[in-house]
């Protein structure tokens, strides 16, 4: 089980959305982390054969996925960030409809639908219309449709977008449960989505793969780059202009700053152990925005 990406590139006129990416993915959960606009969706659409590459190629166990055509798509489950559905279909009818599009025999489709409804926690909502579902329930219906053909490759594009914290936790647990003997690629700009479930993390920035490895390796790359210092309030703005500040907290003795820097920002600064949110800010800087990470 090997999905090999070699020199994969996609250009749109003068814009390079994906820039010469190479990596090899096997069974396990992979987290694709980057800010909005980093090229995550473009990469995933190429991996789903929905978009041809400008350069490079992708192979599954040595065979080009675009030449495999339907054979490859039968191995694939895909949940786009915005997936279409008929609003007046019940959840059960929606899944049966998608199963028919995927070519499942009716008896197989009914068995798979019943099993998946239980697995994603929608058995009691099987008769509910899709338009009446909450955001979290719709995402669970979406992952159920992606799993109908029991795929070897499961690709999920921003699956927790718009969900509250409880639904995000439930969704992460569901992904972990479904990951056995599969290759799962999960894209997100929310650090906590992949912190506990991804075997390996891919950092994508401006279409380029800037890191690929385990979370432990990623955190190790931050050794000596995370500092804590307490300064008078009047000095805070100067530190904010000079350094990437991951967090600030008011304390009785001044303002406590968490600073990301390759150099010690002050003789009084104390080294801190990095967390994935530090990594996100270090690589993506201010482009992360206040909604992309909880600093």
């Amino acid at each position: 089980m090997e999905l090999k990406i070699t020199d994969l590139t996609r250009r749109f006129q003068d814009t390079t959305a994906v820039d010469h990416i190479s990596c090899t993915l096997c069974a396990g959960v992979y987290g694709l982390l980057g800010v909005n606009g980093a090229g995550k969706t473009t990469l995933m659409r190429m991996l789903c054969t929905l978009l041809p590459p400008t350069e490079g190629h992708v192979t599954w166990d040595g065979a080009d996925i675009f030449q495999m055509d339907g054979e490859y798509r039968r191995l694939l489950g895909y949940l786009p960030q915005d997936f279409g559905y008929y609003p007046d279909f019940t959840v059960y009818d929606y899944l049966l409809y998608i199963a028919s599009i995927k070519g499942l025999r009716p008896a197989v489709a009914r068995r798979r639908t019943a099993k998946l409804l239980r697995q994603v926690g929608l058995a009691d909502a099987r008769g509910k219309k899709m338009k009446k579902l909450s955001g979290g329930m719709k995402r669970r219906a979406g992952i159920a449709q992606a799993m109908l053909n029991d795929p070897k490759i499961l690709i999920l594009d921003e699956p927790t977008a718009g969900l509250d914290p409880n639904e995000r936790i439930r969704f992460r647990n569901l992904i972990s449960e479904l990951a056995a003997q599969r290759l799962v690629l999960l894209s997100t700009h929310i650090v906590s989505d992949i912190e506990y479930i991804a075997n390996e993390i891919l950092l994508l920035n401006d279409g380029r793969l800037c890191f690929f490895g385990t979370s432990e390796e990623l955190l190790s790359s931050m050794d000596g780059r995370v500092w804590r210092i307490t300064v008078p309030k009047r000095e805070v703005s100067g530190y904010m202009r000079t350094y990437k500040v991951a967090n600030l907290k008011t304390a009785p003795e001044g303002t406590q700053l968490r600073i990301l820097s390759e150099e010690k920002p002050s003789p009084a600064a104390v080294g801190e152990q990095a967390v994935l949110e530090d990594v996100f800010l270090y690589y993506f800087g201010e482009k992360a925005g206040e909604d992309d990470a909880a600093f």
Side-chain angles (χ1 to χ4, degrees), residues 100-168:
S100 69
I101 292 176
K102 293 189 175 189
L104 274 67
R105 297 192 304 274
V108 175
R110 288 193 293 271
R111 285 198 303 271
R112 287 289 297 164
T113 295
K115 178 181 178 181
L116 286 166
L117 283 172
R118 291 192 299 271
Q119 203 164 10
V120 302
L122 289 178
D124 292 339
R126 58 182 289 161
K128 202 168 186 177
K129 289 186 176 182
M130 291 291 295
K131 66 183 179 182
K132 298 292 186 181
L133 300 182
S134 67
M137 294 171 77
K138 285 176 184 173
R139 302 307 288 178
R140 282 185 268 148
I143 200 169
Q145 66 80 23
M147 289 293 298
L148 279 166
N149 57 326
D150 196 17
K152 293 292 184 184
I153 308 166
L154 183 60
I155 295 180
L156 310 170
D157 189 3
E158 300 278 2
T160 63
L163 302 187
D164 64 38
N166 286 332
E167 278 288 0
R168 288 216 307 270

